[in-house]
Amino acid sequence: MTKYMVLYTAPQSAESAMQDSSPESAAEGMKVWMDWAEKAGDGIVDLGTPLGGGKEIGTSGVSDSAADVAGYTILQADSMDAALALLEGHPHLMMPGASIQVYEALDIPGM
């Protein structure tokens, strides 16, 4: 099976979204995520976590990351199409302006 890195992007940071959420709303949000995780089953290698503010390292130094990555999951599937099928109806897409990026993890030659 091939692994796939799933990146959740959103116009609002995960930190901000969690701060703005009531305990009841947070519990409802976790329930829909766990329902999705149950449906995806063994396709989930690592359910992942929300991500806080990141840093970008470049040749000119370190700066705050401008990327809108809000979290990640690692899936395994027989193909990209199968990985995409696991993400159908994903609860992250209920957030206005949210999207999901999926990348195949490639084998490193010689390793």
Side-chain angles (χ1 to χ4, degrees):
M1 289 229 185
T2 303
K3 289 184 183 175
Y4 295 88
M5 173 61 75
V6 178
L7 299 176
Y8 304 110
T9 62
Q12 181 182 19
S13 73
E15 291 169 311
S16 176
M18 289 187 297
Q19 287 176 347
D20 293 345
S21 183
S22 70
E24 296 81 17
S25 180
E28 288 175 25
M30 282 307 303
K31 181 181 179 337
V32 296
W33 270 81
M34 297 316 292
D35 289 347
W36 168 78
E38 185 176 326
K39 185 178 97 178
D42 292 341
I44 298 175
V45 174
D46 180 349
L47 184 58
T49 184
L51 298 173
K55 297 292 182 182
E56 185 170 341
I57 302 168
T59 56
S60 61
V62 178
S63 61
D64 289 339
S65 175
D68 57 357
V69 177
Y72 78 95
T73 295
I74 299 173
L75 299 177
Q76 64 182 0
D78 290 327
S79 66
M80 176 63 86
D81 287 340
L84 295 175
L86 291 173
L87 294 164
E88 288 179 9
H90 195 285
H92 179 70
L93 297 175
M94 295 186 318
M95 181 186 307
S99 66
I100 299 174
Q101 299 178 13
V102 183
Y103 297 91
E104 181 178 342
L106 302 175
D107 291 330
I108 298 172
M111 296 198 63

